[in-house]
Amino acid sequence: MSDALYRVKSWIEEQRLLPDSGLVIAGLSGGADSMAMAHMLHQLLPAGRLVCAHINHGIRGEAAERDQAFVEDWCRKEGISLQVLR
């Protein structure tokens, strides 16, 4: 486990941010911060506990479509369930 991942895991545990069971839903915009969060949660949580959610408001035209496609592709490759709301 990398030092960064260990520090995040420790902080999550200290703050009691995640329940011991059930789904964890992470908002995923496709930006660097939400992708880093999702990547770390994917490494820390048992398979099947992470679900990502993406909202495409449609107000940024093609940029919004690219963000959605990027998020869909990443989740598919990682085997993470994704819910998209348009």
Side-chain angles (χ1 to χ4, degrees):
M1 178 181 298
S2 73
D3 183 55
L5 186 60
Y6 176 78
R7 290 175 64 198
V8 168
K9 180 181 185 290
S10 296
W11 185 74
I12 287 171
E13 289 171 352
E14 287 171 11
Q15 301 300 315
R16 302 178 58 121
L17 296 177
L18 297 176
D20 293 332
S21 62
L23 294 176
V24 173
I25 302 170
L28 191 55
S29 68
D33 54 349
S34 70
M35 294 304 297
M37 175 193 63
H39 179 72
M40 288 187 172
L41 287 173
H42 183 47
Q43 291 180 56
L44 293 172
L45 293 168
R49 281 201 62 204
L50 178 62
V51 174
C52 289
H54 177 80
I55 300 175
N56 182 342
H57 296 281
I59 58 175
R60 292 179 28 255
E62 283 300 311
E65 297 304 318
R66 286 190 302 272
D67 288 345
Q68 181 178 331
F70 174 74
V71 166
E72 289 171 334
D73 184 57
W74 185 80
C75 286
R76 183 174 39 258
K77 287 178 181 174
E78 296 297 324
I80 299 170
S81 178
L82 172 67
Q83 297 294 314
V84 175
L85 176 65
R86 293 182 65 85

